[in-house]
Amino acid sequence: RVYGHKPPLFFWAVAGVSFVTGGVNGVSARAPSVLASALLLSLTYVFGFRWFGRRAALFGTAILATTYLFAMLAMRANIDALHALFTTAALYLWFESVERAAPRPVGLLAAWALAGLALLTKGAGVVLVLLSAAAYLAWSGRWRSRRLLLWNFAGILVALAIAALWFVPAWLSAGSGYAEEIGLRQTFTRATDPWSHERGPFYFFLNFPLDALPWSLFLPAAAAWLRSALAGRSAPQARFLAGWFV
C-alpha cells in the first residue's frame, strides 16, 4: 500500500537506524526524534550564545529541554522533532547569512537546502521558512535589496529541487494520484482547507500556553524583554525571533 500522507525523510531515517538495531522496533522508531531533539538543543545553545551570550544560551536551552511539548515529542516516533531541527537550522543559517555586512550567497543557498530537507520531512516546512524570512525582510527593510531577493529566490529553487529529487521519481513510480495526494492535498489543501485537525482561528492562542508549560507562565516577562530588545543593539535578532514566533 502506498502511503501518501507525508514525505519520506523521517521514514528513511527510521529504516536507516533499523539496520543497526536489527529491525524496526521501539528504539529504531524513536531514535531519529531523540537525535534530532539533541541536535536542536545544541543548535539552540549555539545561536543563543552568538546572539545573546552564554547565560541566555544556557537558560534558553534548559527552557526548551523542559518544555512539555518538546520533551514529549523528543521521545515519540514522530515527524515533528526532525522537522523542527531542519526548519530551525535553516532559519538560523538564513539569518546569519543575511545579517552580514555583505550577505553570503553560499549561506543563503545552504539555508534553503535545509528548508528543502524540511520539505522532505513534512510538506509545510519550506512555507514556515519562507514566511519567517519574508516577515524579517519586510520588518527590517532589507526587502529593498534586489540582490538579496534574487539570492533568496534562487534558494527557494534549491529547496524545491531537493524535494524534486524524490518527488519526481515517486510520481513516475506511483502515478499521478499519489503525486496529487502528497503534493497538493496533503500540503497545500490541508493548510488552506483542512479536513482533519480542523480548529478555529484562535486555536494556537489557546493551545500554545498549554503546550509550552511550565514556561508559558513567563510569557509576560518575555514580552517585556522583547519590547526592550527591539530598542537596543539586539534589535535585529529580536525582530527575527518575533517574526518567527508569530
Short mmCIF file of all heavy atoms in Angstrom, two decimals, residues 150-192:
data_model
loop_
_atom_site.label_atom_id
_atom_site.label_comp_id
_atom_site.label_asym_id
_atom_site.label_seq_id
_atom_site.Cartn_x
_atom_site.Cartn_y
_atom_site.Cartn_z
N LEU A 150 17.04 38.25 -5.02
CA LEU A 150 17.39 37.30 -6.09
C LEU A 150 18.04 36.05 -5.52
O LEU A 150 17.73 34.92 -5.96
CB LEU A 150 18.31 37.97 -7.10
CG LEU A 150 17.65 39.01 -8.02
CD1 LEU A 150 18.70 39.71 -8.88
CD2 LEU A 150 16.60 38.35 -8.90
N TRP A 151 18.92 36.22 -4.54
CA TRP A 151 19.55 35.04 -3.95
C TRP A 151 18.56 34.20 -3.16
O TRP A 151 18.66 32.97 -3.13
CB TRP A 151 20.73 35.45 -3.07
CG TRP A 151 21.99 35.68 -3.84
CD1 TRP A 151 22.64 36.86 -4.03
CD2 TRP A 151 22.73 34.70 -4.57
NE1 TRP A 151 23.75 36.68 -4.83
CE2 TRP A 151 23.83 35.37 -5.16
CE3 TRP A 151 22.59 33.34 -4.78
CZ2 TRP A 151 24.78 34.69 -5.94
CZ3 TRP A 151 23.52 32.66 -5.55
CH2 TRP A 151 24.60 33.34 -6.13
N ASN A 152 17.59 34.85 -2.54
CA ASN A 152 16.55 34.09 -1.84
C ASN A 152 15.66 33.34 -2.83
O ASN A 152 15.25 32.21 -2.56
CB ASN A 152 15.72 35.02 -0.96
CG ASN A 152 16.32 35.22 0.41
OD1 ASN A 152 16.30 34.35 1.26
ND2 ASN A 152 16.90 36.39 0.61
N PHE A 153 15.36 33.97 -3.95
CA PHE A 153 14.59 33.28 -4.98
C PHE A 153 15.35 32.06 -5.49
O PHE A 153 14.76 30.97 -5.67
CB PHE A 153 14.28 34.24 -6.13
CG PHE A 153 13.49 33.60 -7.25
CD1 PHE A 153 12.15 33.30 -7.09
CD2 PHE A 153 14.10 33.28 -8.45
CE1 PHE A 153 11.42 32.70 -8.11
CE2 PHE A 153 13.39 32.68 -9.48
CZ PHE A 153 12.04 32.39 -9.30
N ALA A 154 16.66 32.22 -5.69
CA ALA A 154 17.48 31.08 -6.11
C ALA A 154 17.47 30.00 -5.03
O ALA A 154 17.44 28.80 -5.34
CB ALA A 154 18.91 31.54 -6.39
N GLY A 155 17.48 30.41 -3.76
CA GLY A 155 17.44 29.45 -2.67
C GLY A 155 16.15 28.66 -2.63
O GLY A 155 16.16 27.45 -2.36
N ILE A 156 15.03 29.33 -2.89
CA ILE A 156 13.75 28.63 -2.95
C ILE A 156 13.77 27.57 -4.04
O ILE A 156 13.27 26.45 -3.87
CB ILE A 156 12.60 29.63 -3.17
CG1 ILE A 156 12.46 30.53 -1.94
CG2 ILE A 156 11.29 28.90 -3.43
CD1 ILE A 156 11.51 31.69 -2.13
N LEU A 157 14.39 27.91 -5.17
CA LEU A 157 14.51 26.92 -6.25
C LEU A 157 15.36 25.74 -5.82
O LEU A 157 15.09 24.59 -6.19
CB LEU A 157 15.11 27.58 -7.50
CG LEU A 157 14.26 28.67 -8.17
CD1 LEU A 157 14.98 29.23 -9.39
CD2 LEU A 157 12.89 28.12 -8.56
N VAL A 158 16.41 26.00 -5.01
CA VAL A 158 17.24 24.92 -4.48
C VAL A 158 16.40 24.00 -3.59
O VAL A 158 16.48 22.76 -3.68
CB VAL A 158 18.44 25.49 -3.69
CG1 VAL A 158 19.14 24.39 -2.89
CG2 VAL A 158 19.44 26.15 -4.65
N ALA A 159 15.59 24.59 -2.72
CA ALA A 159 14.73 23.79 -1.82
C ALA A 159 13.78 22.92 -2.63
O ALA A 159 13.61 21.72 -2.33
CB ALA A 159 13.95 24.72 -0.89
N LEU A 160 13.17 23.51 -3.65
CA LEU A 160 12.24 22.74 -4.47
C LEU A 160 12.95 21.66 -5.27
O LEU A 160 12.41 20.56 -5.47
CB LEU A 160 11.48 23.68 -5.41
CG LEU A 160 10.56 24.70 -4.73
CD1 LEU A 160 9.94 25.63 -5.76
CD2 LEU A 160 9.47 23.99 -3.92
N ALA A 161 14.18 21.96 -5.72
CA ALA A 161 14.94 20.97 -6.47
C ALA A 161 15.30 19.76 -5.61
O ALA A 161 15.26 18.62 -6.06
CB ALA A 161 16.21 21.61 -7.04
N ILE A 162 15.64 20.02 -4.34
CA ILE A 162 15.95 18.91 -3.42
C ILE A 162 14.73 18.03 -3.23
O ILE A 162 14.82 16.79 -3.26
CB ILE A 162 16.46 19.47 -2.08
CG1 ILE A 162 17.87 20.04 -2.26
CG2 ILE A 162 16.44 18.40 -0.99
CD1 ILE A 162 18.41 20.73 -1.04
N ALA A 163 13.57 18.66 -3.04
CA ALA A 163 12.34 17.87 -2.90
C ALA A 163 12.02 17.12 -4.19
O ALA A 163 11.53 15.98 -4.15
CB ALA A 163 11.18 18.79 -2.51
N ALA A 164 12.33 17.73 -5.32
CA ALA A 164 12.02 17.11 -6.62
C ALA A 164 12.85 15.86 -6.86
O ALA A 164 12.42 14.96 -7.61
CB ALA A 164 12.24 18.10 -7.75
N LEU A 165 14.03 15.77 -6.24
CA LEU A 165 14.86 14.58 -6.41
C LEU A 165 14.13 13.33 -5.93
O LEU A 165 14.38 12.22 -6.43
CB LEU A 165 16.18 14.74 -5.63
CG LEU A 165 17.15 15.78 -6.18
CD1 LEU A 165 18.34 15.94 -5.23
CD2 LEU A 165 17.62 15.39 -7.57
N TRP A 166 13.24 13.50 -4.96
CA TRP A 166 12.40 12.37 -4.53
C TRP A 166 11.03 12.40 -5.21
O TRP A 166 10.52 11.37 -5.66
CB TRP A 166 12.19 12.41 -3.01
CG TRP A 166 10.97 11.66 -2.60
CD1 TRP A 166 10.81 10.30 -2.53
CD2 TRP A 166 9.68 12.21 -2.26
NE1 TRP A 166 9.52 9.98 -2.16
CE2 TRP A 166 8.82 11.13 -1.99
CE3 TRP A 166 9.21 13.52 -2.16
CZ2 TRP A 166 7.50 11.34 -1.61
CZ3 TRP A 166 7.89 13.73 -1.79
CH2 TRP A 166 7.05 12.64 -1.52
N PHE A 167 10.44 13.60 -5.30
CA PHE A 167 9.05 13.70 -5.75
C PHE A 167 8.87 13.21 -7.18
O PHE A 167 7.90 12.48 -7.48
CB PHE A 167 8.57 15.15 -5.62
CG PHE A 167 7.14 15.34 -6.03
CD1 PHE A 167 6.11 14.93 -5.18
CD2 PHE A 167 6.81 15.94 -7.24
CE1 PHE A 167 4.79 15.10 -5.54
CE2 PHE A 167 5.49 16.11 -7.61
CZ PHE A 167 4.48 15.70 -6.75
N VAL A 168 9.76 13.58 -8.08
CA VAL A 168 9.59 13.20 -9.49
C VAL A 168 9.67 11.68 -9.67
O VAL A 168 8.78 11.08 -10.30
CB VAL A 168 10.61 13.93 -10.38
CG1 VAL A 168 10.56 13.41 -11.81
CG2 VAL A 168 10.32 15.44 -10.37
N PRO A 169 10.71 11.00 -9.12
CA PRO A 169 10.70 9.53 -9.24
C PRO A 169 9.49 8.88 -8.57
O PRO A 169 8.96 7.89 -9.08
CB PRO A 169 12.01 9.12 -8.55
CG PRO A 169 12.88 10.31 -8.65
CD PRO A 169 11.96 11.48 -8.53
N ALA A 170 9.06 9.44 -7.43
CA ALA A 170 7.88 8.89 -6.76
C ALA A 170 6.64 9.05 -7.62
O ALA A 170 5.79 8.14 -7.70
CB ALA A 170 7.69 9.58 -5.40
N TRP A 171 6.52 10.19 -8.26
CA TRP A 171 5.40 10.45 -9.17
C TRP A 171 5.41 9.46 -10.33
O TRP A 171 4.38 8.85 -10.64
CB TRP A 171 5.51 11.89 -9.67
CG TRP A 171 4.41 12.33 -10.60
CD1 TRP A 171 3.33 11.60 -11.01
CD2 TRP A 171 4.28 13.61 -11.20
NE1 TRP A 171 2.54 12.34 -11.84
CE2 TRP A 171 3.10 13.59 -11.98
CE3 TRP A 171 5.05 14.77 -11.15
CZ2 TRP A 171 2.69 14.70 -12.71
CZ3 TRP A 171 4.62 15.87 -11.88
CH2 TRP A 171 3.46 15.83 -12.66
N LEU A 172 6.57 9.27 -10.92
CA LEU A 172 6.68 8.35 -12.05
C LEU A 172 6.39 6.91 -11.64
O LEU A 172 5.85 6.13 -12.42
CB LEU A 172 8.06 8.46 -12.69
CG LEU A 172 8.41 9.81 -13.32
CD1 LEU A 172 9.85 9.82 -13.80
CD2 LEU A 172 7.45 10.14 -14.46
N SER A 173 6.77 6.57 -10.39
CA SER A 173 6.59 5.20 -9.93
C SER A 173 5.17 4.93 -9.44
O SER A 173 4.58 3.89 -9.77
CB SER A 173 7.58 4.91 -8.80
OG SER A 173 7.37 3.64 -8.25
N ALA A 174 4.60 5.85 -8.66
CA ALA A 174 3.31 5.61 -8.03
C ALA A 174 2.14 6.19 -8.80
O ALA A 174 0.99 5.85 -8.52
CB ALA A 174 3.32 6.16 -6.60
N GLY A 175 2.40 7.08 -9.73
CA GLY A 175 1.32 7.61 -10.55
C GLY A 175 0.83 8.98 -10.13
O GLY A 175 1.20 9.51 -9.06
N SER A 176 -0.01 9.57 -10.94
CA SER A 176 -0.49 10.93 -10.72
C SER A 176 -1.38 11.04 -9.48
O SER A 176 -1.43 12.09 -8.84
CB SER A 176 -1.26 11.43 -11.95
OG SER A 176 -2.37 10.59 -12.22
N GLY A 177 -2.09 9.97 -9.12
CA GLY A 177 -2.92 10.00 -7.92
C GLY A 177 -2.10 10.23 -6.68
O GLY A 177 -2.47 11.02 -5.80
N TYR A 178 -0.95 9.55 -6.59
CA TYR A 178 -0.05 9.73 -5.45
C TYR A 178 0.52 11.14 -5.45
O TYR A 178 0.60 11.79 -4.39
CB TYR A 178 1.07 8.71 -5.50
CG TYR A 178 2.13 8.92 -4.45
CD1 TYR A 178 1.92 8.51 -3.14
CD2 TYR A 178 3.34 9.53 -4.77
CE1 TYR A 178 2.88 8.71 -2.16
CE2 TYR A 178 4.31 9.72 -3.81
CZ TYR A 178 4.09 9.32 -2.51
OH TYR A 178 5.04 9.52 -1.55
N ALA A 179 0.93 11.62 -6.63
CA ALA A 179 1.51 12.96 -6.72
C ALA A 179 0.51 14.02 -6.28
O ALA A 179 0.87 14.98 -5.58
CB ALA A 179 1.97 13.22 -8.15
N GLU A 180 -0.73 13.87 -6.67
CA GLU A 180 -1.76 14.83 -6.27
C GLU A 180 -2.01 14.77 -4.76
O GLU A 180 -2.19 15.80 -4.10
CB GLU A 180 -3.05 14.54 -7.03
CG GLU A 180 -4.17 15.52 -6.71
CD GLU A 180 -5.44 15.23 -7.49
OE1 GLU A 180 -5.39 14.40 -8.43
OE2 GLU A 180 -6.47 15.83 -7.17
N GLU A 181 -2.02 13.56 -4.21
CA GLU A 181 -2.27 13.40 -2.78
C GLU A 181 -1.17 14.03 -1.94
O GLU A 181 -1.43 14.85 -1.06
CB GLU A 181 -2.40 11.91 -2.44
CG GLU A 181 -2.55 11.61 -0.96
CD GLU A 181 -3.89 12.02 -0.40
OE1 GLU A 181 -4.83 12.24 -1.19
OE2 GLU A 181 -4.00 12.09 0.84
N ILE A 182 0.10 13.69 -2.22
CA ILE A 182 1.20 14.16 -1.39
C ILE A 182 1.61 15.58 -1.75
O ILE A 182 2.03 16.36 -0.91
CB ILE A 182 2.42 13.20 -1.50
CG1 ILE A 182 3.48 13.55 -0.44
CG2 ILE A 182 3.03 13.23 -2.88
CD1 ILE A 182 3.07 13.23 0.96
N GLY A 183 1.50 15.93 -3.04
CA GLY A 183 1.99 17.23 -3.47
C GLY A 183 0.99 18.36 -3.33
O GLY A 183 1.38 19.51 -3.12
N LEU A 184 -0.29 18.05 -3.42
CA LEU A 184 -1.31 19.09 -3.36
C LEU A 184 -2.20 18.94 -2.13
O LEU A 184 -2.26 19.82 -1.28
CB LEU A 184 -2.16 19.06 -4.64
CG LEU A 184 -1.43 19.43 -5.93
CD1 LEU A 184 -2.37 19.29 -7.12
CD2 LEU A 184 -0.88 20.84 -5.86
N ARG A 185 -2.88 17.80 -2.04
CA ARG A 185 -3.90 17.66 -1.00
C ARG A 185 -3.29 17.68 0.41
O ARG A 185 -3.80 18.38 1.29
CB ARG A 185 -4.67 16.35 -1.20
CG ARG A 185 -5.87 16.18 -0.28
CD ARG A 185 -6.75 15.03 -0.75
NE ARG A 185 -7.93 14.92 0.09
CZ ARG A 185 -8.02 14.10 1.14
NH1 ARG A 185 -7.00 13.33 1.48
NH2 ARG A 185 -9.13 14.04 1.85
N GLN A 186 -2.19 16.93 0.62
CA GLN A 186 -1.61 16.83 1.95
C GLN A 186 -0.74 18.04 2.33
O GLN A 186 -0.39 18.20 3.48
CB GLN A 186 -0.77 15.55 2.06
CG GLN A 186 -1.57 14.28 2.04
CD GLN A 186 -2.40 14.10 3.29
OE1 GLN A 186 -2.10 14.64 4.35
NE2 GLN A 186 -3.45 13.30 3.19
N THR A 187 -0.39 18.86 1.36
CA THR A 187 0.47 20.00 1.64
C THR A 187 -0.31 21.31 1.57
O THR A 187 -0.49 21.99 2.58
CB THR A 187 1.65 20.04 0.65
OG1 THR A 187 2.39 18.82 0.76
CG2 THR A 187 2.59 21.20 0.96
N PHE A 188 -0.83 21.67 0.40
CA PHE A 188 -1.46 22.97 0.22
C PHE A 188 -2.92 22.96 0.64
O PHE A 188 -3.38 23.85 1.36
CB PHE A 188 -1.30 23.42 -1.23
CG PHE A 188 0.13 23.63 -1.62
CD1 PHE A 188 0.79 22.72 -2.42
CD2 PHE A 188 0.83 24.74 -1.16
CE1 PHE A 188 2.12 22.90 -2.76
CE2 PHE A 188 2.16 24.93 -1.50
CZ PHE A 188 2.80 24.01 -2.30
N THR A 189 -3.68 21.95 0.20
CA THR A 189 -5.10 21.90 0.55
C THR A 189 -5.27 21.74 2.05
O THR A 189 -6.15 22.37 2.66
CB THR A 189 -5.79 20.75 -0.18
OG1 THR A 189 -5.59 20.89 -1.59
CG2 THR A 189 -7.29 20.75 0.11
N ARG A 190 -4.42 20.95 2.67
CA ARG A 190 -4.52 20.72 4.11
C ARG A 190 -4.28 22.01 4.89
O ARG A 190 -4.85 22.21 5.97
CB ARG A 190 -3.52 19.65 4.54
CG ARG A 190 -3.69 19.20 5.97
CD ARG A 190 -2.83 17.98 6.27
NE ARG A 190 -3.17 17.40 7.54
CZ ARG A 190 -3.23 16.11 7.78
NH1 ARG A 190 -3.00 15.25 6.81
NH2 ARG A 190 -3.53 15.65 8.98
N ALA A 191 -3.43 22.88 4.34
CA ALA A 191 -3.13 24.14 5.02
C ALA A 191 -4.23 25.17 4.83
O ALA A 191 -4.48 26.00 5.72
CB ALA A 191 -1.81 24.70 4.53
N THR A 192 -4.89 25.15 3.68
CA THR A 192 -5.88 26.18 3.37
C THR A 192 -7.31 25.74 3.62
O THR A 192 -8.19 26.57 3.90
CB THR A 192 -5.74 26.62 1.90
OG1 THR A 192 -5.91 25.47 1.05
CG2 THR A 192 -4.37 27.22 1.65
#
